[in-house]
């Protein structure tokens, strides 16, 4: 199970920029993200929530592949594997998209909504659910955005170390 870290930023686009940076760090194997959510609060106080993981598309893809496999297998039994694969894929895409849209995976939506009510106008927050992280390199990479720790699922000791590391890099 991953660890949740919520970082706050000044500026509406900062959380998006940091998420893009973190995705680059993922490619370098410095962080293993399970899920991420960006929350922005505009000047009028309206909250915008952006899910980084599209569960409907993910479900449709996996359902389509699974359906195509099973359809081809059933099609072989009736001597028409192409038709079986096509029908199986179409059915799998529909079922997978439906299950993906109903699934609440990763960062809890209610928690995101509750915490997003606390961020100030013209600011943003990044919710990241992390499996593994090379803390010192990730902290160094995101420091130019001056992140503030808003919430974590880390132990008190781990959270204190994270806060100190962020402060040390900003000084």
């Amino acid at each position: 199970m991953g660890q949740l870290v919520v970082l706050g930023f000044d500026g509406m686009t900062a959380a998006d920029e940091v998420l893009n940076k973190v995705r680059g760090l993922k490619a370098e194997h410095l962080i293993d993200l399970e899920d991420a959510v960006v929350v922005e609060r505009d000047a009028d106080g309206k909250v915008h929530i952006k899910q980084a993981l599209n569960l409907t598309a993910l479900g449709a893809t996996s359902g389509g592949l699974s359906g195509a496999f099973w359809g081809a297998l059933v099609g072989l039994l009736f001597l028409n594997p192409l038709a079986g694969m096509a029908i199986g894929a179409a059915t799998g895409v529909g079922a997978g998209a439906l299950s993906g849209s109903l699934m609440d995976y990763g960062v809890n939506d209610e928690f995101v909504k509750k915490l997003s009510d606390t961020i100030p106008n013209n600011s943003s927050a990044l919710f990241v659910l992390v499996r593994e992280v090379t803390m010192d390199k990730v902290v160094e990479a995101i420091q130019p955005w001056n992140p503030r720790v808003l919430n974590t699922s880390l132990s008190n000791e781990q959270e204190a170390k994270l806060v100190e590391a962020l402060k040390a890099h900003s000084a």
Side-chain angles (χ1 to χ4, degrees):
M1 184 164 152
Q3 296 292 329
L4 177 69
V5 176
V6 183
L7 301 172
F9 303 93
D10 295 328
M12 289 270 302
T13 62
D16 258 333
E17 293 167 6
V18 171
L19 179 56
N20 287 333
K21 181 67 176 178
V22 167
R23 284 179 174 145
L25 297 173
K26 183 178 180 181
E28 297 174 30
H29 304 286
L30 296 175
I31 188 167
D32 185 11
L33 284 179
E34 207 170 306
D35 192 16
V37 177
V38 171
V39 175
E40 299 169 343
R41 181 182 286 272
D42 63 24
D44 299 328
K46 184 163 171 47
V47 174
H48 308 273
I49 299 173
K50 301 177 190 176
Q51 295 282 346
L53 185 61
N54 184 344
L55 294 175
T56 302
L58 186 65
T61 301
S62 65
L65 293 174
S66 175
F69 171 76
W70 288 107
L73 194 61
V74 170
L76 279 173
L77 295 175
F78 296 103
L79 301 175
N80 197 349
L82 290 178
M85 187 165 62
I87 293 168
T91 305
V93 166
L98 179 61
S99 69
S101 67
L102 298 175
M103 189 184 327
D104 188 14
Y105 171 80
V107 181
N108 181 286
D109 294 341
E110 286 303 313
F111 177 70
V112 171
K113 289 175 187 169
K114 180 180 168 188
L115 195 57
S116 60
D117 288 338
T118 68
I119 67 171
N121 292 358
N122 287 321
S123 67
S124 56
L126 176 61
F127 295 68
V128 288
L129 193 56
V130 179
R131 288 186 199 106
E132 291 183 39
V133 62
T134 306
M135 186 67 71
D136 57 339
K137 292 185 179 187
V138 172
V139 166
E140 185 178 328
I142 67 171
Q143 189 51 48
W145 288 273
N146 298 314
R148 297 177 308 280
V149 176
L150 301 180
N151 197 309
T152 73
S153 64
L154 301 171
S155 70
N156 290 337
E157 182 182 324
Q158 292 170 319
E159 184 173 341
K161 286 180 181 179
L162 175 60
V163 169
E164 285 305 311
L166 289 170
K167 285 181 184 177
H169 279 67
S170 67

